[in-house]
Amino acid sequence: MAWGRKKSGGRIEPRFGLAASLAALRLGPGDRVGGGNATPERQNRQDAGGEEDAPAERKPRVNRASRKRKSSRTRGGLSRLFYWGTVLGLWAGIAATGVLIWAGAHLPPIQSLEIPKRPPTIEITGLDGSVLAMRGEMAGTNVALKDLPPYLPKAFIAIEDRRFYSHYGVDPLGILRAAVANILHRGVSQGGSTLTQQLAKNLFLTQERTLLRKLQEVELAIWLERKHSKAEILELYLNRVYFGSGAYGVDAAAQRYFGKSAKNVTLAEAAMLAGLVKSPSRLAPNRNPEGAEKRAELVLAAMADAKFISEAQAQASIGQPSYHVKAAGAGTINYVADWIGEVLDDLVGQIDQDIVVETTIDPKLQSVAEAAIIDELAAKSVKFNVSQGALVAMSPDGAVRAMVGGRNYAESQYNRAVTAKRQPGSAFKPFVYLTAIEAGLTPETIRQDAPLDVKGWKPENYGHEYFGAVTLTQALSMSLNTVAVRLGLEVGPKNVVRTAHRLGISSKLDANASIALGTSEVSLTELVGAYAPFANGGLGVSPHVVTKIRNLQGKLLYARPDDQLGRVIEPRHVAMMNTMMQETLISGTAHKAEIPGWMAAGKTGTSQDFRDAWFIGYTADLVSGVWLGNDDNSPTRKATGGGLPVEVWSRFMKAAHQGVAAVPLPASQAGGLFSKVAQAAPPASAPPASIASPAGAAARPAPTRASVRPEAASGLDGWLMQRLFGR
């Protein structure tokens, strides 16, 4: 073949340079992929520059190279998928490990994790030895697994953790089953926690629902499984789980709901106890018996399904539990229990064992006090716009016999008898009058009831009227404010404060002119305690409720010592004060108060704008006080100390003294004491010149009362004659 010619016979000119080089590198049909499949004829036609004749009908042919390419691509995709899946799996594992390490870092060191001791039970008993209330875990002992009927632990396993004996603290199948059920029900219908996880949560963790807490629960469950046997874990669980109504542990729950030990529960009772674990507060049989019974039926069905019992046993046990919920005392006794809880640390230090606290509370008086407060408020709270009340009663030596801190403990645990501090109003005046008596005045000393101005402050009487010259007895029984302020200024506000503190007021008192009207706040308990010396002849007391504390083995941990306060009021001054405060009940602001057959004395109190209404009264047997008002310090609808508080007090005191032999107040026991000191008693003095009275004020008539003769009130002799012969 001639060089440079085409097969067609045309001449091909030689080319040089870059164009020639590129032409030489041009691929021919044979160089292309699949080019080797061309036939010689087809190749010649292509080489000659002619076109390939199109076949009339082209048959499909399998391209082996294409098939190879597809197979190669598939293998490559699977390889990449496996590679990246492995990488992501490794990173997920690393992340999960990091999260577990992070969760574990917030736990205490594993070597320091020990099963904590069961929190102590505090049993509170009354004066007669009866159980009033429980604090801490309810009275139930730890029971060994071998001592329980076999169906009791099986009931818990059947309903809470069917695979308990086959998992290692965490049950993946249980978690998966719970997840599926929750998805199907579009909510949380099942939980995946094992008994071991629940125990870990109860022993070491809080009840919060967070990822951290759940991870810690898992770690602790695995730790518990490694450290303890299945039997030990199950026994711990049964003795720690909460069953509602303050009962922790299966024995406490059996005592609470069935009045028996867990060792003696029936199959039906065991099923009900196991059913409570899911929602103890909602399913407690003393609150929701229908819900508890329905849940127990599910437990029995689960036990039958697990072959723990037969179907016949399950059917026979439905509806069989007989409730015997042990009463824990009246609702308001919880105010007393809370108060005891606050003082236990001071008496015996940290409690690390079950104890029995013996108290001075009389259960009968507690019930009467509760009824008096609740019933009176139910009848008249709307009328007087009074929402709350409190009552404290104690013996003259300061032993609290009854305490009501509010009308409904379930609604409010705030103790208005101990914690609340309010203005006592005129109930504070006895400390002013006692200071005046100790300064030499007598009950028949004359003072002016008239308007006065103390540096711009103008105290007024309740009725906005004035009676001129009155005796101290009249002034106290009628609660005349101007006379109280005059006396307070006369003896000095600081001395009044000292007297109140000496008798038992512990709150801070402001030594100013208004102290005579009870403007400094005090608690009901301390005010009642400060009145006790008037009832016992002048001895100081400390209000108290705990007498002894023992452990369950009977060992004495605490015994209350005798008060060392000694005498705080001289006997003759006690007699004068009692005589004056008797008049409050006879003809004064508390004339509605009466206790048939008993000598009684006391003082009413109403704070500014009728925000607080008080009455503190006493006999030689019992001192009690009542407060009524509103927690937000809003005014009442003109509720005064001589109204509703006196009614509550009278109702309580009548019941408290029923069947009790009458004992006179210390005043009647004074005998000839006053004749011995008559010569030492100063004459009645006039009001100090520093307190001005308007002209003509003294000329206004004094309150007319047959038992009061001002003309005979010329000192202690006149007072004695009037007490002996004037009535």
Side-chain angles (χ1 to χ4, degrees):
M1 180 177 65
W3 180 77
R5 291 182 179 270
K6 292 183 180 180
K7 290 183 180 183
S8 59
R11 180 177 177 176
I12 300 175
E13 295 294 335
R15 288 177 292 179
F16 302 95
L18 179 60
S21 300
L22 292 174
L25 291 175
R26 185 174 300 160
L27 295 176
D31 296 322
R32 296 189 179 96
V33 176
N37 295 328
T39 61
E41 292 80 9
R42 181 180 180 184
Q43 183 67 47
N44 291 335
R45 284 195 301 269
Q46 290 175 346
D47 289 343
E51 295 184 0
E52 181 181 358
D53 296 332
E57 182 179 354
R58 180 176 297 174
K59 296 182 179 180
R61 291 179 296 177
V62 178
N63 191 324
R64 295 177 184 176
S66 176
R67 188 166 58 233
K68 289 180 180 179
R69 287 199 305 273
K70 290 181 180 178
S71 177
S72 176
R73 288 170 184 165
T74 301
R75 287 196 300 270
L78 291 175
S79 298
R80 286 193 295 271
L81 182 64
F82 176 77
Y83 171 78
W84 286 112
T86 302
V87 171
L88 291 176
L90 289 174
W91 278 110
I94 293 172
T97 303
V99 170
L100 289 175
I101 294 174
W102 170 73
H106 291 78
L107 286 172
I110 290 294
Q111 62 270 19
S112 69
L113 282 176
E114 296 293 340
I115 301 299
K117 292 182 179 180
R118 187 182 186 190
T121 297
I122 303 171
E123 181 180 294
I124 300 172
T125 62
L127 195 62
D128 60 355
S130 63
V131 177
L132 299 177
M134 305 295 300
R135 282 294 182 269
E137 295 183 2
M138 193 188 153
T141 59
N142 287 331
V143 288
L145 195 63
K146 61 182 179 62
D147 295 331
L148 294 171
Y151 47 74
L152 179 57
K154 288 180 179 179
F156 287 85
I157 293 174
I159 195 65
E160 289 292 324
D161 189 0
R162 192 79 62 88
R163 290 167 43 82
F164 174 70
Y165 286 106
S166 61
H167 62 65
Y168 296 95
V170 181
D171 184 10
L173 292 179
I175 295 174
L176 180 61
R177 183 183 64 252
V180 172
N182 293 337
I183 292 173
L184 293 177
H185 289 85
R186 296 185 179 182
V188 181
S189 63
Q190 290 188 16
S193 294
T194 64
L195 291 180
T196 313
Q197 287 177 263
Q198 294 179 39
L199 177 62
K201 177 178 65 177
N202 291 335
L203 291 179
F204 306 111
L205 302 173
T206 65
Q207 300 299 316
E208 63 179 344
R209 294 173 177 265
T210 62
L211 176 61
L212 173 62
R213 207 273 299 151
K214 196 65 178 179
L215 292 173
Q216 291 175 334
E217 177 186 298
V218 169
E219 293 184 31
L220 288 172
I222 296 172
W223 175 78
L224 283 171
E225 291 276 351
R226 292 183 60 188
K227 190 174 179 65
H228 299 278
S229 68
K230 289 289 186 179
E232 291 173 333
I233 290 172
L234 186 56
E235 183 176 306
L236 277 170
Y237 175 85
L238 292 175
N239 283 295
R240 295 303 184 88
V241 69
Y242 182 57
F243 290 90
S245 296
Y248 287 83
V250 69
D251 191 63
Q255 295 283 0
R256 162 64 79 182
Y257 299 124
F258 310 120
K260 62 175 72 174
S261 169
K263 301 175 184 178
N264 303 320
V265 296
T266 65
L267 173 58
E269 292 165 346
M272 179 164 286
L273 291 176
L276 295 180
V277 175
K278 179 181 179 181
S279 181
S281 298
R282 181 173 60 86
L283 296 174
N286 60 336
R287 297 181 180 178
N288 183 8
E290 295 83 6
E293 289 179 7
K294 289 181 180 179
R295 179 67 176 170
E297 291 179 13
L298 291 177
V299 176
L300 290 169
M303 294 179 72
D305 183 63
K307 307 303 181 184
F308 293 153
I309 60 174
S310 66
E311 290 287 349
Q313 286 177 303
Q315 290 298 322
S317 298
I318 292 177
Q320 289 298 314
S322 58
Y323 309 122
H324 182 79
V325 181
K326 298 182 69 176
T332 57
I333 196 63
N334 289 293
Y335 291 111
V336 179
D338 289 349
W339 185 32
I340 291 172
E342 294 172 3
V343 302
L344 277 181
D345 189 60
D346 294 332
L347 301 181
V348 293
Q350 185 175 358
I351 306 298
D352 57 1
Q353 59 182 319
D354 294 347
I355 60 173
V356 177
V357 180
E358 300 177 16
T359 73
T360 61
I361 296 295
D362 185 330
K364 294 181 180 179
L365 294 186
Q366 180 69 29
S367 297
V368 172
E370 181 181 66
I373 287 289
I374 294 176
D375 292 350
E376 292 293 330
L377 284 178
K380 300 180 180 179
S381 61
V382 175
K383 176 182 178 181
F384 290 101
N385 189 34
V386 174
S387 61
Q388 281 295 346
L391 185 152
V392 173
M394 63 181 69
S395 61
D397 64 354
V400 176
R401 299 297 185 210
M403 174 182 286
V404 178
R407 69 189 299 181
N408 191 320
Y409 181 84
E411 292 181 357
S412 172
Q413 292 78 51
Y414 184 60
N415 193 334
R416 296 153 190 87
V418 174
T419 307
K421 292 191 176 184
R422 307 292 290 252
Q423 290 185 352
S426 296
F428 189 84
K429 288 178 181 177
F431 308 119
V432 179
Y433 281 78
L434 175 60
T435 307
I437 292 294
E438 290 176 338
L441 279 63
T442 72
E444 297 304 330
T445 296
I446 301 294
R447 285 295 179 265
Q448 290 293 323
D449 174 33
L452 75 160
D453 188 325
V454 183
K455 298 181 179 179
W457 176 52
K458 300 177 181 180
E460 296 179 334
N461 293 330
Y462 171 72
H464 303 291
E465 60 177 332
Y466 305 93
F467 298 96
V470 294
T471 65
L472 298 192
T473 299
Q474 288 176 300
L476 182 59
S477 67
M478 298 178 66
S479 199
L480 302 178
N481 290 338
T482 62
V483 177
V485 173
R486 292 177 193 277
L487 287 177
L489 293 174
E490 183 176 338
V491 299
K494 290 184 179 179
N495 290 326
V496 173
V497 169
R498 292 191 187 100
T499 298
H501 284 159
R502 187 177 80 237
L503 266 64
I505 298 295
S506 57
S507 297
K508 181 181 180 298
L509 303 175
D510 295 324
N512 52 34
S514 67
I515 188 66
L517 303 185
T519 54
S520 291
E521 297 177 339
V522 299
S523 73
L524 177 60
T525 299
E526 65 180 320
L527 188 58
V528 173
Y531 271 63
F534 299 128
N536 67 27
L539 302 178
V541 304
S542 295
H544 60 278
V545 69
V546 178
T547 56
K548 294 180 181 179
I549 302 175
R550 305 177 188 273
N551 62 16
L552 294 186
Q553 291 71 43
K555 180 182 178 182
L556 186 65
L557 305 178
Y558 168 83
R560 188 179 186 279
D562 294 334
D563 278 325
Q564 303 295 322
L565 300 179
R567 180 164 296 281
V568 294
I569 311 175
E570 291 298 319
R572 67 181 186 275
H573 299 148
V574 172
M576 293 181 186
M577 290 300 301
N578 285 342
T579 300
M580 296 169 71
M581 284 196 281
Q582 283 182 70
E583 287 297 330
T584 302
L585 275 69
I586 295 171
S587 61
T589 55
H591 64 275
K592 294 180 181 179
E594 60 173 340
I595 309 174
W598 282 82
M599 296 176 60
K603 185 69 188 75
T604 59
T606 307
S607 67
Q608 189 174 10
D609 297 327
F610 303 98
R611 298 177 189 276
D612 306 274
W614 306 73
F615 181 63
I616 317 296
Y618 55 93
T619 65
D621 181 68
L622 201 62
V623 187
S624 62
V626 176
W627 167 86
L628 296 171
N630 297 309
D631 287 339
D632 60 2
N633 206 32
S634 61
T636 65
R637 195 170 289 119
K638 294 190 176 181
T640 63
L644 195 54
V646 165
E647 294 177 17
V648 174
W649 183 90
S650 296
R651 172 174 173 170
F652 169 75
M653 292 291 275
K654 285 178 182 178
H657 287 80
Q658 189 172 3
V660 180
V663 179
L665 285 169
S668 63
Q669 300 172 351
L673 173 66
F674 302 108
S675 61
K676 298 178 182 179
V677 298
Q679 294 180 351
S685 56
S690 59
I691 303 177
S693 298
R700 299 191 61 174
T704 58
R705 204 160 41 87
S707 60
V708 178
R709 294 193 300 272
E711 66 274 13
S714 58
L716 188 56
D717 285 332
W719 177 78
L720 277 171
M721 292 295 292
Q722 183 166 354
R723 297 312 305 165
L724 292 174
F725 307 112
R727 182 169 280 108

